[in-house]
Amino acid sequence: GTEGRIVYIVPRERERLARLTNLGIIPGARVRIQQKSPAFVLALGETTLAVDPAIAGEIYVKKV
């Protein structure tokens, strides 16, 4: 239930940034973490996404 704002993203693969952007995972977006294991489940507005922990580690969020 922790809520935050995406500050920046440091993808290990260049293509990954485009995929995350298409899903709405962009700097400035507000996200809510609904689950951390086995995958991170993120809520962005009306959208809920499951993200692999390795990818979630590339997304830097500041608590709001």
Side-chain angles (χ1 to χ4, degrees):
T2 304
E3 192 169 314
R5 186 172 304 279
I6 298 173
V7 179
Y8 59 93
I9 303 168
V10 183
R12 294 182 188 198
E13 299 172 16
R14 180 177 273 207
E15 301 81 27
R16 187 174 292 161
L17 183 59
R19 282 186 260 141
L20 292 172
T21 299
N22 289 336
L23 294 170
I25 299 175
I26 58 172
R30 289 180 76 124
V31 296
R32 187 172 52 254
I33 299 172
Q34 295 182 330
Q35 176 181 313
K36 289 185 180 180
S37 182
F40 279 79
V41 176
L42 308 175
L44 292 105
E46 298 296 318
T47 304
T48 302
L49 303 167
V51 180
D52 184 87
I55 296 171
E58 300 171 356
I59 303 168
Y60 292 84
V61 178
K62 182 178 180 180
K63 275 188 175 182
V64 181

